[in-house]
Coordinates of all heavy atoms in Angstrom, one line a residue:
M1 N 175.7 70.0 66.3 CA 177.0 70.7 66.4 C 176.9 72.0 65.6 O 176.4 72.1 64.5 CB 178.1 69.7 65.8 CG 179.4 70.4 65.6 SD 180.6 69.2 65.0 CE 181.9 69.5 66.1
K2 N 177.5 73.0 66.2 CA 177.5 74.4 65.6 C 179.0 74.8 65.4 O 179.8 74.6 66.3 CB 176.8 75.4 66.5 CG 175.4 75.1 66.8 CD 174.6 75.3 65.5 CE 173.1 75.1 65.8 NZ 172.3 75.0 64.6
L3 N 179.3 75.2 64.2 CA 180.6 75.6 63.8 C 180.7 77.1 63.5 O 179.7 77.6 62.9 CB 181.2 74.8 62.6 CG 181.1 73.3 62.8 CD1 181.5 72.6 61.5 CD2 182.1 72.9 63.9
L4 N 181.7 77.8 63.9 CA 181.9 79.2 63.6 C 182.9 79.3 62.5 O 184.0 78.8 62.6 CB 182.3 80.0 64.9 CG 182.5 81.5 64.8 CD1 181.3 82.2 64.3 CD2 182.9 82.0 66.1
T5 N 182.5 80.1 61.5 CA 183.4 80.2 60.3 C 183.4 81.7 59.9 O 182.5 82.4 60.2 CB 183.1 79.3 59.2 OG1 184.0 79.4 58.1 CG2 181.7 79.5 58.6
G6 N 184.3 82.0 59.1 CA 184.4 83.4 58.5 C 185.6 83.4 57.5 O 186.0 82.4 57.0
N7 N 186.1 84.6 57.3 CA 187.2 84.8 56.4 C 188.3 85.5 57.1 O 188.1 86.5 57.8 CB 186.8 85.5 55.1 CG 185.9 84.6 54.2 OD1 184.7 84.7 54.4 ND2 186.4 83.8 53.4
D8 N 189.5 85.1 56.8 CA 190.7 85.8 57.4 C 190.8 87.2 56.8 O 190.6 87.4 55.6 CB 192.0 85.0 57.0 CG 193.2 85.6 57.5 OD1 193.4 85.7 58.8 OD2 194.0 86.1 56.7
L9 N 191.0 88.2 57.6 CA 191.1 89.6 57.2 C 192.2 89.9 56.2 O 192.0 90.6 55.2 CB 191.2 90.5 58.4 CG 189.9 90.6 59.2 CD1 190.2 91.4 60.5 CD2 188.8 91.3 58.4
K10 N 193.3 89.3 56.3 CA 194.5 89.5 55.5 C 194.4 88.8 54.1 O 194.7 89.4 53.1 CB 195.8 89.2 56.2 CG 196.1 90.2 57.3 CD 197.4 89.8 58.0 CE 197.6 90.7 59.2 NZ 198.8 90.3 60.0
S11 N 194.1 87.5 54.2 CA 194.2 86.7 53.0 C 192.9 86.4 52.4 O 192.8 86.0 51.2 CB 194.9 85.3 53.3 OG 194.0 84.6 54.2
G12 N 191.8 86.5 53.1 CA 190.5 86.1 52.6 C 190.2 84.6 52.7 O 189.1 84.2 52.4
A13 N 191.1 83.9 53.3 CA 191.0 82.4 53.4 C 189.8 82.1 54.3 O 189.5 82.8 55.3 CB 192.3 81.8 53.9
V14 N 189.2 81.0 54.1 CA 188.1 80.5 55.0 C 188.8 80.0 56.2 O 189.8 79.3 56.2 CB 187.4 79.3 54.3 CG1 186.4 78.7 55.3 CG2 186.7 79.7 53.0
I15 N 188.3 80.4 57.4 CA 188.9 80.0 58.7 C 187.8 79.5 59.6 O 186.6 79.8 59.4 CB 189.6 81.2 59.3 CG1 188.8 82.4 59.4 CG2 190.9 81.4 58.6 CD1 189.5 83.6 60.1
W16 N 188.2 78.7 60.6 CA 187.3 78.0 61.5 C 187.7 78.2 62.9 O 188.9 78.2 63.2 CB 187.3 76.5 61.2 CG 187.0 76.2 59.8 CD1 187.9 76.1 58.7 CD2 185.7 76.0 59.2 NE1 187.2 75.9 57.5 CE2 185.9 75.8 57.8 CE3 184.4 76.0 59.7 CZ2 184.8 75.6 57.0 CZ3 183.3 75.8 58.9 CH2 183.5 75.6 57.5
W17 N 186.7 78.5 63.8 CA 187.0 78.7 65.2 C 187.4 77.4 65.9 O 186.7 76.4 65.7 CB 185.8 79.3 65.9 CG 186.0 79.6 67.4 CD1 185.5 78.9 68.4 CD2 186.9 80.6 67.9 NE1 185.9 79.4 69.6 CE2 186.8 80.4 69.3 CE3 187.7 81.5 67.4 CZ2 187.5 81.3 70.2 CZ3 188.4 82.3 68.3 CH2 188.3 82.2 69.6
T18 N 188.6 77.4 66.6 CA 189.1 76.1 67.2 C 188.7 76.0 68.7 O 189.0 75.0 69.3 CB 190.6 76.1 67.1 OG1 191.2 77.1 67.9 CG2 191.1 76.3 65.7
G19 N 188.1 77.0 69.2 CA 187.9 77.0 70.7 C 188.8 78.0 71.4 O 188.5 78.5 72.5
A20 N 189.9 78.4 70.7 CA 190.8 79.4 71.3 C 191.3 80.4 70.3 O 191.8 81.4 70.6 CB 192.0 78.6 71.9
D21 N 191.3 80.0 69.0 CA 191.8 80.8 67.9 C 191.2 80.4 66.6 O 190.2 79.7 66.6 CB 193.3 80.6 67.9 CG 194.1 81.8 67.2 OD1 193.4 82.7 66.7 OD2 195.3 81.7 67.2
W22 N 191.7 80.8 65.5 CA 191.2 80.5 64.1 C 192.2 79.6 63.4 O 193.4 79.7 63.6 CB 191.0 81.8 63.3 CG 189.9 82.6 63.9 CD1 190.1 83.7 64.8 CD2 188.5 82.5 63.7 NE1 188.8 84.2 65.2 CE2 187.9 83.5 64.5 CE3 187.7 81.7 62.9 CZ2 186.5 83.6 64.5 CZ3 186.4 81.8 62.9 CH2 185.8 82.8 63.7
S23 N 191.7 78.7 62.6 CA 192.5 77.8 61.8 C 191.9 77.7 60.3 O 190.7 77.9 60.1 CB 192.5 76.4 62.4 OG 193.1 75.5 61.5
I24 N 192.8 77.5 59.4 CA 192.4 77.3 58.0 C 191.9 75.9 57.8 O 191.5 75.5 56.7 CB 193.4 77.7 57.0 CG1 194.7 76.9 57.2 CG2 193.7 79.2 57.1 CD1 195.7 77.1 56.0
H25 N 192.0 75.0 58.8 CA 191.7 73.6 58.6 C 190.4 73.2 59.3 O 190.3 73.4 60.5 CB 192.8 72.7 59.2 CG 194.1 73.0 58.6 ND1 194.5 72.6 57.3 CD2 195.2 73.7 59.1 CE1 195.7 73.0 57.0 NE2 196.2 73.7 58.1
I26 N 189.4 72.7 58.6 CA 188.1 72.4 59.2 C 188.3 71.3 60.3 O 187.6 71.3 61.2 CB 187.2 71.9 58.1 CG1 185.8 71.5 58.6 CG2 187.7 70.7 57.3 CD1 185.0 72.6 59.2
E27 N 189.3 70.5 60.1 CA 189.6 69.4 61.1 C 189.8 70.0 62.5 O 189.6 69.3 63.5 CB 190.8 68.6 60.8 CG 190.6 67.8 59.5 CD 190.9 68.7 58.2 OE1 191.6 69.7 58.3 OE2 190.6 68.2 57.1
D28 N 190.3 71.3 62.6 CA 190.5 71.9 63.9 C 189.3 72.6 64.5 O 189.4 73.1 65.6 CB 191.6 73.0 63.7 CG 193.0 72.4 63.2 OD1 193.2 71.3 63.5 OD2 193.7 73.2 62.6
A29 N 188.2 72.7 63.7 CA 187.0 73.4 64.2 C 186.4 72.8 65.5 O 186.4 71.5 65.6 CB 186.0 73.4 63.1
A30 N 185.9 73.6 66.3 CA 185.3 73.2 67.6 C 183.9 73.5 67.6 O 183.4 74.5 67.0 CB 186.0 73.9 68.8
D31 N 183.1 72.7 68.3 CA 181.7 72.9 68.5 C 181.5 74.2 69.4 O 182.0 74.1 70.5 CB 181.0 71.7 69.1 CG 179.5 71.8 69.2 OD1 178.9 72.9 68.8 OD2 178.9 70.9 69.8
V32 N 180.9 75.2 68.9 CA 180.7 76.4 69.7 C 179.4 76.4 70.5 O 179.1 77.2 71.4 CB 180.7 77.7 68.8 CG1 182.1 77.9 68.3 CG2 179.6 77.7 67.8
G33 N 178.5 75.4 70.2 CA 177.2 75.2 70.9 C 176.5 76.5 71.1 O 176.3 77.3 70.2
E34 N 176.0 76.7 72.3 CA 175.2 77.9 72.6 C 176.0 79.1 72.8 O 175.5 80.2 72.8 CB 174.4 77.6 73.9 CG 173.4 76.5 73.8 CD 172.4 76.7 72.7 OE1 171.8 77.8 72.6 OE2 172.1 75.7 72.0
Q35 N 177.3 79.0 72.8 CA 178.2 80.2 73.0 C 178.6 80.8 71.6 O 179.3 81.8 71.6 CB 179.5 79.7 73.7 CG 179.3 79.2 75.1 CD 178.6 80.2 76.0 OE1 179.0 81.4 76.0 NE2 177.7 79.7 76.8
G36 N 178.1 80.2 70.5 CA 178.5 80.7 69.2 C 178.3 82.2 69.0 O 179.1 82.9 68.5
E37 N 177.1 82.7 69.3 CA 176.8 84.1 69.1 C 177.7 85.0 69.9 O 178.1 86.1 69.4 CB 175.3 84.4 69.4 CG 174.3 83.7 68.5 CD 174.4 84.3 67.1 OE1 174.8 85.5 66.9 OE2 174.0 83.6 66.1
A38 N 178.0 84.6 71.1 CA 178.9 85.5 72.0 C 180.3 85.5 71.4 O 180.9 86.5 71.4 CB 178.9 84.9 73.4
I39 N 180.8 84.3 71.0 CA 182.1 84.3 70.4 C 182.2 85.1 69.1 O 183.1 85.8 68.9 CB 182.5 82.8 70.2 CG1 182.6 82.0 71.5 CG2 183.9 82.7 69.4 CD1 182.7 80.5 71.3
L40 N 181.2 84.9 68.3 CA 181.1 85.6 67.0 C 181.1 87.1 67.3 O 181.9 87.8 66.6 CB 179.7 85.3 66.4 CG 179.5 85.8 65.0 CD1 178.6 84.9 64.2 CD2 178.8 87.2 65.1
A41 N 180.4 87.6 68.2 CA 180.4 89.1 68.5 C 181.7 89.6 69.0 O 182.2 90.6 68.5 CB 179.3 89.4 69.6
V42 N 182.4 88.8 69.9 CA 183.7 89.2 70.4 C 184.8 89.2 69.2 O 185.5 90.2 69.1 CB 184.2 88.3 71.5 CG1 185.6 88.5 71.9 CG2 183.3 88.5 72.8
E43 N 184.8 88.2 68.5 CA 185.8 88.0 67.4 C 185.6 89.1 66.3 O 186.5 89.6 65.8 CB 185.8 86.6 66.8 CG 186.3 85.6 67.8 CD 187.7 85.8 68.2 OE1 188.6 85.9 67.3 OE2 188.0 85.9 69.4
E44 N 184.3 89.3 65.9 CA 184.1 90.3 64.9 C 184.4 91.7 65.4 O 185.0 92.5 64.7 CB 182.6 90.3 64.4 CG 182.3 91.2 63.3 CD 181.0 90.9 62.7 OE1 180.0 90.7 63.4 OE2 180.9 91.0 61.4
A45 N 184.1 92.0 66.7 CA 184.4 93.3 67.2 C 185.9 93.6 67.3 O 186.4 94.7 67.2 CB 183.8 93.5 68.6
A46 N 186.6 92.5 67.6 CA 188.1 92.6 67.7 C 188.8 92.6 66.4 O 190.0 92.7 66.3 CB 188.6 91.4 68.6
R47 N 188.0 92.5 65.3 CA 188.5 92.5 63.9 C 189.5 91.4 63.7 O 190.5 91.6 63.0 CB 189.0 93.9 63.6 CG 187.9 94.9 63.7 CD 188.2 96.0 62.7 NE 187.2 97.1 62.9 CZ 186.1 97.2 62.1 NH1 185.9 96.4 61.1 NH2 185.3 98.2 62.3
R48 N 189.2 90.2 64.2 CA 190.1 89.1 63.9 C 189.6 88.2 62.8 O 190.3 87.3 62.4 CB 190.3 88.2 65.2 CG 191.2 88.9 66.2 CD 191.4 88.0 67.4 NE 190.4 87.9 68.4 CZ 190.3 88.6 69.5 NH1 191.3 89.5 69.8 NH2 189.3 88.5 70.3
V49 N 188.3 88.5 62.4 CA 187.7 87.7 61.3 C 186.7 88.6 60.6 O 186.2 89.5 61.1 CB 187.0 86.5 61.9 CG1 185.9 86.9 62.8 CG2 186.5 85.5 60.8
N50 N 186.6 88.3 59.3 CA 185.6 89.1 58.4 C 184.4 88.2 58.2 O 184.4 87.1 57.8 CB 186.3 89.4 57.1 CG 185.4 90.2 56.2 OD1 184.7 91.2 56.7 ND2 185.3 89.9 55.0
A51 N 183.2 88.8 58.5 CA 181.9 88.2 58.2 C 181.7 86.9 58.8 O 181.4 85.9 58.1 CB 181.6 88.2 56.7
P52 N 182.0 86.7 60.1 CA 181.8 85.4 60.8 C 180.3 85.0 60.8 O 179.4 85.8 60.9 CB 182.4 85.6 62.2 CG 182.1 87.0 62.5 CD 182.3 87.7 61.1
Y53 N 180.1 83.7 60.7 CA 178.7 83.2 60.9 C 178.7 81.8 61.4 O 179.8 81.1 61.4 CB 177.9 83.3 59.6 CG 178.4 82.6 58.4 CD1 177.9 81.4 58.1 CD2 179.4 83.1 57.7 CE1 178.3 80.7 56.9 CE2 179.9 82.5 56.5 CZ 179.3 81.3 56.2 OH 179.8 80.6 55.1
I54 N 177.6 81.3 61.9 CA 177.5 80.0 62.5 C 176.8 79.1 61.6 O 175.8 79.4 61.0 CB 176.8 80.1 63.9 CG1 177.5 81.0 64.8 CG2 176.5 78.7 64.5 CD1 176.8 81.4 66.1
I55 N 177.3 77.8 61.4 CA 176.7 76.8 60.6 C 176.5 75.6 61.4 O 177.1 75.3 62.4 CB 177.5 76.5 59.3 CG1 178.9 75.9 59.7 CG2 177.7 77.8 58.5 CD1 179.7 75.4 58.5
S56 N 175.6 74.7 60.9 CA 175.4 73.4 61.5 C 176.4 72.5 60.9 O 176.8 72.6 59.8 CB 174.0 72.9 61.1 OG 173.0 73.7 61.6
G57 N 176.8 71.5 61.8 CA 177.8 70.5 61.4 C 177.5 69.2 62.1 O 176.6 69.1 62.9
E58 N 178.3 68.3 61.8 CA 178.3 67.0 62.5 C 179.7 66.4 62.6 O 180.6 66.7 61.9 CB 177.4 66.0 61.7 CG 178.0 65.7 60.3 CD 177.0 64.9 59.4 OE1 175.9 64.5 59.9 OE2 177.4 64.6 58.3
M59 N 179.9 65.6 63.7 CA 181.2 65.0 63.9 C 181.2 63.7 63.1 O 180.3 62.9 63.2 CB 181.4 64.8 65.4 CG 182.8 64.3 65.7 SD 184.1 65.3 65.0 CE 184.1 66.6 66.2
T60 N 182.3 63.5 62.4 CA 182.6 62.3 61.7 C 183.9 61.7 62.1 O 184.6 62.3 62.9 CB 182.6 62.6 60.1 OG1 183.9 63.3 59.9 CG2 181.5 63.4 59.7
P61 N 184.2 60.5 61.7 CA 185.5 59.9 62.1 C 186.7 60.7 61.6 O 187.8 60.7 62.2 CB 185.5 58.5 61.4 CG 184.0 58.2 61.2 CD 183.3 59.5 61.0
D62 N 186.5 61.6 60.6 CA 187.5 62.4 60.0 C 187.5 63.8 60.7 O 188.3 64.7 60.2 CB 187.4 62.5 58.5 CG 187.6 61.2 57.8 OD1 188.5 60.4 58.3 OD2 186.9 61.0 56.8
G63 N 186.6 64.1 61.6 CA 186.5 65.4 62.2 C 185.2 66.1 61.9 O 184.3 65.4 61.3
P64 N 185.1 67.3 62.2 CA 183.9 68.1 61.9 C 183.6 68.1 60.4 O 184.5 68.3 59.6 CB 184.1 69.5 62.5 CG 185.3 69.3 63.4 CD 186.1 68.2 62.9
R65 N 182.3 68.1 60.1 CA 181.8 68.2 58.7 C 180.6 69.1 58.7 O 179.6 68.9 59.4 CB 181.5 66.8 58.2 CG 180.9 66.9 56.8 CD 180.5 65.5 56.3 NE 179.9 65.6 55.1 CZ 179.1 64.7 54.6 NH1 178.8 63.6 55.3 NH2 178.5 64.8 53.4
P66 N 180.7 70.2 57.9 CA 179.5 71.1 57.7 C 178.3 70.3 57.2 O 178.5 69.4 56.3 CB 180.0 72.1 56.7 CG 181.5 72.1 56.8 CD 181.8 70.7 57.1
A67 N 177.1 70.6 57.7 CA 175.9 69.8 57.3 C 175.5 70.2 55.9 O 175.0 69.3 55.2 CB 174.8 70.1 58.3
H68 N 175.6 71.4 55.5 CA 175.1 71.9 54.2 C 176.2 71.7 53.1 O 177.4 72.0 53.4 CB 174.7 73.3 54.3 CG 173.9 73.8 53.1 ND1 174.5 74.2 51.9 CD2 172.5 73.9 52.9 CE1 173.5 74.6 51.1 NE2 172.4 74.4 51.7
I69 N 175.8 71.3 51.9 CA 176.8 71.1 50.8 C 177.6 72.4 50.5 O 178.7 72.3 50.2 CB 176.1 70.5 49.6 CG1 177.1 70.1 48.5 CG2 175.1 71.4 49.0 CD1 178.0 68.9 48.9
K70 N 176.9 73.5 50.5 CA 177.6 74.8 50.2 C 178.7 75.0 51.2 O 179.8 75.4 50.8 CB 176.6 75.9 50.3 CG 177.2 77.3 50.2 CD 176.2 78.4 50.5 CE 175.9 78.5 52.0 NZ 176.4 79.5 52.8
D71 N 178.5 74.7 52.5 CA 179.6 74.9 53.4 C 180.7 73.8 53.3 O 181.8 74.1 53.6 CB 179.0 74.9 54.8 CG 178.1 76.1 55.0 OD1 178.5 77.3 54.7 OD2 177.0 76.0 55.5
R72 N 180.3 72.6 52.9 CA 181.3 71.6 52.7 C 182.2 72.0 51.5 O 183.4 71.8 51.6 CB 180.6 70.2 52.4 CG 180.2 69.5 53.6 CD 179.7 68.2 53.3 NE 178.3 68.2 53.6 CZ 177.3 67.5 53.1 NH1 177.6 66.7 52.0 NH2 176.1 67.6 53.5
I73 N 181.7 72.5 50.5 CA 182.5 72.9 49.3 C 183.4 74.1 49.8 O 184.6 74.1 49.5 CB 181.6 73.3 48.2 CG1 180.9 72.1 47.6 CG2 182.4 74.1 47.1 CD1 179.8 72.4 46.6
R74 N 182.8 75.0 50.5 CA 183.6 76.2 51.0 C 184.8 75.7 51.9 O 185.9 76.2 51.9 CB 182.7 77.1 51.8 CG 183.3 78.4 52.3 CD 182.2 79.3 52.9 NE 182.8 80.4 53.4 CZ 183.3 80.5 54.7 NH1 183.1 79.4 55.5 NH2 183.9 81.5 55.2
A75 N 184.5 74.6 52.7 CA 185.6 74.1 53.6 C 186.7 73.5 52.8 O 187.9 73.4 53.4 CB 185.0 73.1 54.5
L76 N 186.5 73.1 51.6 CA 187.6 72.4 50.8 C 188.6 73.5 50.3 O 189.7 73.1 49.9 CB 187.0 71.7 49.6 CG 186.1 70.5 50.0 CD1 185.5 69.9 48.7 CD2 187.0 69.4 50.7
G77 N 188.2 74.7 50.3 CA 189.1 75.8 49.8 C 188.8 76.2 48.4 O 187.8 75.8 47.8
P78 N 189.7 77.0 47.8 CA 189.5 77.5 46.5 C 189.3 76.4 45.4 O 189.9 75.4 45.5 CB 190.8 78.3 46.2 CG 191.4 78.6 47.5 CD 191.0 77.4 48.4
T79 N 188.3 76.6 44.6 CA 188.0 75.6 43.5 C 188.3 76.1 42.1 O 188.1 75.5 41.2 CB 186.5 75.3 43.6 OG1 185.8 76.5 43.4 CG2 186.2 74.6 44.9
V80 N 188.9 77.3 42.0 CA 189.3 77.8 40.7 C 190.7 77.5 40.4 O 191.6 77.7 41.3 CB 189.1 79.4 40.7 CG1 189.6 79.9 39.4 CG2 187.6 79.7 41.0
R81 N 191.0 76.9 39.3 CA 192.4 76.6 38.9 C 192.8 77.6 37.9 O 192.4 77.6 36.7 CB 192.4 75.2 38.3 CG 192.2 74.2 39.3 CD 192.5 72.8 38.9 NE 193.8 72.7 38.2 CZ 194.2 71.7 37.4 NH1 193.4 70.7 37.2 NH2 195.3 71.7 36.7
P82 N 193.7 78.6 38.3 CA 194.2 79.6 37.3 C 194.9 79.1 36.1 O 194.8 79.7 35.1 CB 195.1 80.4 38.2 CG 194.9 80.1 39.6 CD 194.2 78.7 39.6
D83 N 195.5 77.9 36.2 CA 196.2 77.3 35.1 C 195.2 76.8 34.0 O 195.7 76.6 32.9 CB 197.1 76.2 35.5 CG 196.3 75.0 36.2 OD1 195.4 75.3 37.1 OD2 196.6 73.9 35.9
L84 N 193.9 76.8 34.3 CA 193.0 76.3 33.3 C 192.2 77.5 32.6 O 191.4 77.3 31.7 CB 192.0 75.4 33.9 CG 192.6 74.0 34.4 CD1 191.5 73.2 35.0 CD2 193.3 73.3 33.2
T85 N 192.4 78.7 33.0 CA 191.7 79.8 32.5 C 192.2 80.2 31.1 O 193.4 80.1 30.8 CB 191.7 81.1 33.4 OG1 193.1 81.4 33.6 CG2 191.1 80.7 34.8
L86 N 191.4 80.8 30.3 CA 191.8 81.2 29.0 C 192.2 82.7 29.1 O 191.6 83.5 29.8 CB 190.6 81.1 28.0 CG 190.1 79.7 27.7 CD1 188.9 79.7 26.8 CD2 191.2 78.8 27.1
K87 N 193.1 83.1 28.3 CA 193.5 84.5 28.2 C 192.6 85.1 27.2 O 192.5 84.7 26.1 CB 195.0 84.6 27.8 CG 196.0 84.0 28.7 CD 197.4 84.1 28.1 CE 198.4 83.3 28.9 NZ 199.7 83.2 28.3
P88 N 191.9 86.2 27.6 CA 190.9 86.8 26.7 C 191.5 87.3 25.4 O 190.8 87.3 24.4 CB 190.3 88.0 27.6 CG 190.8 87.7 28.9 CD 191.9 86.8 28.9
A89 N 192.7 87.7 25.4 CA 193.3 88.3 24.1 C 194.1 87.3 23.4 O 194.9 87.7 22.5 CB 194.1 89.5 24.5
D90 N 194.1 86.0 23.7 CA 194.9 85.0 23.1 C 194.1 84.3 22.0 O 193.3 83.4 22.2 CB 195.4 84.0 24.2 CG 196.3 83.0 23.6 OD1 196.6 83.0 22.4 OD2 196.8 82.1 24.4
P91 N 194.4 84.7 20.7 CA 193.6 84.0 19.6 C 193.8 82.5 19.5 O 192.9 81.8 19.1 CB 194.2 84.7 18.3 CG 194.9 85.9 18.8 CD 195.3 85.7 20.3
A92 N 195.0 82.0 20.0 CA 195.3 80.6 19.9 C 194.4 79.8 20.9 O 194.1 78.7 20.8 CB 196.7 80.3 20.3
A93 N 193.8 80.6 21.9 CA 193.0 79.9 22.9 C 191.5 79.9 22.4 O 190.7 79.3 23.1 CB 193.0 80.7 24.2
G94 N 191.3 80.5 21.2 CA 189.9 80.5 20.7 C 189.0 81.5 21.3 O 187.8 81.5 21.2
S95 N 189.6 82.5 21.9 CA 188.8 83.6 22.4 C 189.1 84.9 21.6 O 190.1 85.0 21.0 CB 189.2 83.9 23.9 OG 190.5 84.1 24.0
W96 N 188.1 85.8 21.6 CA 188.2 87.0 20.8 C 187.9 88.2 21.7 O 187.1 88.2 22.6 CB 187.2 87.0 19.7 CG 187.5 85.8 18.8 CD1 186.9 84.6 18.8 CD2 188.3 85.8 17.7 NE1 187.4 83.8 17.9 CE2 188.3 84.5 17.1 CE3 189.2 86.8 17.1 CZ2 189.0 84.2 16.0 CZ3 189.9 86.4 16.0 CH2 189.8 85.1 15.4
V97 N 188.6 89.3 21.5 CA 188.4 90.6 22.1 C 187.7 91.4 21.1 O 188.2 91.6 20.0 CB 189.7 91.2 22.6 CG1 189.4 92.6 23.2 CG2 190.4 90.3 23.6
I98 N 186.6 92.0 21.4 CA 185.8 92.8 20.5 C 185.9 94.3 21.0 O 185.8 94.6 22.1 CB 184.4 92.3 20.3 CG1 184.4 90.9 19.7 CG2 183.6 93.3 19.5 CD1 183.0 90.3 19.6

């Protein structure tokens, strides 16, 4: 199975080709098969997606799943929690500005 992915031009969100349009949900992704390169070229030229590329995947009972761990993590969405970051100039947080 081949999946087409890229980033949304406005938000930067990870998006997946559904066979007709783009979705932020990996569950909506469609197998692009041998047509992947052609779809990629059209969508990139039309500026509907930023940096599209094709990845290997497999169909599971829960829907499409990227084959490579890097792409599986990317499919889950943002992994940074802003509420856990330290403020660089906050002495109470144990950080120092030099």
